[in-house]
Amino acid sequence: MEIKQCRFVTSVADSKNIKDYGMPEIAIAGKSNVGKSSFINYMVNNYGMAKTSSTPGKTRLLNYFEINKGQFMFVDLPGYGFAKVSGEVKDSWDDMIGGYLLGSKRLINVFLLVDVRHEPTSLDKQMVAYMHHYQIPFTVIATKCDKLSRQACMKQRSVIASALCLGNENVIFVSSQAKSGKEEILNRINNLLDIYKQ
Ligand SMILES: Nc1nc2c(ncn2[C@@H]2O[C@H](COP(=O)(O)OP(=O)(O)OP(=O)(O)O)[C@@H](O)[C@H]2O)c(=O)[nH]1
Ligand SMILES: [Mg+2]
């Protein structure tokens, strides 16, 4: 498959207001600043599509991007684990992520992004436990691979996989900056869409 077209659809500030757009949804989740919005831009080949920032906490809403005129939707989620927000704001973000994950009618997979350089945090582990608990299928993607040598990436693969109780082969590597890893992700999306159609 190929991503030929992407259109920003809407931002949602409250998970109570999420709608069914009639197409499968792939959500992009992960810690703040891990590169979620950059990942979407890389996948759709438009670096102005989703807003990115070097300051964590940029994405505060659920942002929907329609791919290939209705083939599927990428949903950019606010990042979790951003220490600088107050308790109240943090709760509303968590409500938004949880509210979306349980409320979406067509969520087919969560792409859980982790920074290749760091061992997954307790929040990443909580996220995985949450998805297991609610039987939400997910894919782990290690971002910013340009920051490490190939050898160091391979080493991190085991660190990330074992922290999240996955096999090494279940961690996909990408770099939105060096533009690597897209083919593997597209294959994954293709498989997910095939399963959805059955
Ligand atoms: N070197 C490198 N930097 C990256 C990559 N992807 C993202 N970044 C940088 O990481 C920072 C955060 O990127 P975003 O895409 O805004 O991250 P996010 O996960 O959407 O962040 P929040 O919306 O705050 O949760 C920016 O400074 C990006 O330029 C990558 O593949 N390589
Ligand atoms: Mg973002």
Side-chain angles (χ1 to χ4, degrees):
M1 83 152 263
E2 220 184 311
I3 295 182
K4 293 196 182 119
Q5 189 261 357
C6 175
R7 179 178 75 94
F8 170 73
V9 178
T10 191
S11 293
V12 176
D14 185 332
S15 63
K16 287 187 201 79
N17 297 332
I18 62 178
K19 284 196 283 190
D20 181 355
Y21 292 95
M23 62 190 104
E25 294 171 8
I26 295 175
I28 315 298
K31 262 181 67 183
S32 204
N33 209 43
V34 72
K36 297 177 294 298
S37 301
S38 305
F39 172 81
I40 291 181
N41 291 341
Y42 168 48
M43 292 307 297
V44 307
N45 199 27
N46 178 346
Y47 283 77
M49 185 57 71
K51 292 196 180 62
T52 66
S53 168
S54 54
T55 314
K58 178 68 186 172
T59 309
R60 298 179 177 220
L61 305 166
L62 303 168
N63 291 313
Y64 288 74
F65 300 90
E66 179 188 338
I67 306 299
N68 295 346
K69 301 188 193 295
Q71 194 177 20
F72 71 95
M73 197 83 94
F74 272 137
V75 185
D76 192 10
L77 303 184
Y80 51 77
F82 174 38
K84 279 194 193 132
V85 299
S86 70
E88 215 169 283
V89 177
K90 186 180 171 301
D91 287 350
S92 89
W93 286 11
D94 293 348
D95 281 355
M96 206 140 80
I97 298 168
Y100 169 78
L101 293 176
L102 300 186
S104 165
K105 298 236 172 354
R106 292 186 201 266
L107 175 65
I108 56 169
N109 205 266
V110 174
F111 285 1
L112 177 63
L113 272 50
V114 296
D115 188 317
V116 73
R117 295 168 294 174
H118 309 305
E119 182 166 353
T121 64
S122 61
L123 287 171
D124 294 319
K125 291 176 192 171
Q126 275 175 39
M127 183 74 185
V128 167
Y130 186 92
M131 292 188 287
H132 276 309
H133 181 80
Y134 289 105
Q135 299 185 319
I136 300 167
F138 64 94
T139 304
V140 172
I141 298 173
T143 62
K144 308 194 186 184
C145 290
D146 55 286
K147 298 261 195 190
L148 292 182
S149 69
R150 210 187 132 69
Q151 201 184 5
C153 273
M154 286 305 128
K155 219 167 145 192
Q156 279 305 100
R157 178 189 284 252
S158 314
V159 172
I160 293 167
S162 69
L164 300 178
C165 304
L166 304 167
N168 279 0
E169 67 289 353
N170 291 321
V171 181
I172 302 178
F173 287 86
V174 296
S175 166
S176 307
Q177 193 165 295
K179 304 189 193 230
S180 65
K182 191 186 274 191
E183 275 313 305
E184 202 175 344
I185 305 283
L186 289 175
N187 284 339
R188 178 87 185 127
I189 293 173
N190 211 16
N191 290 339
L192 293 168
L193 293 177
D194 279 348
I195 297 168
Y196 174 78
K197 278 185 239 145
Q198 280 164 18

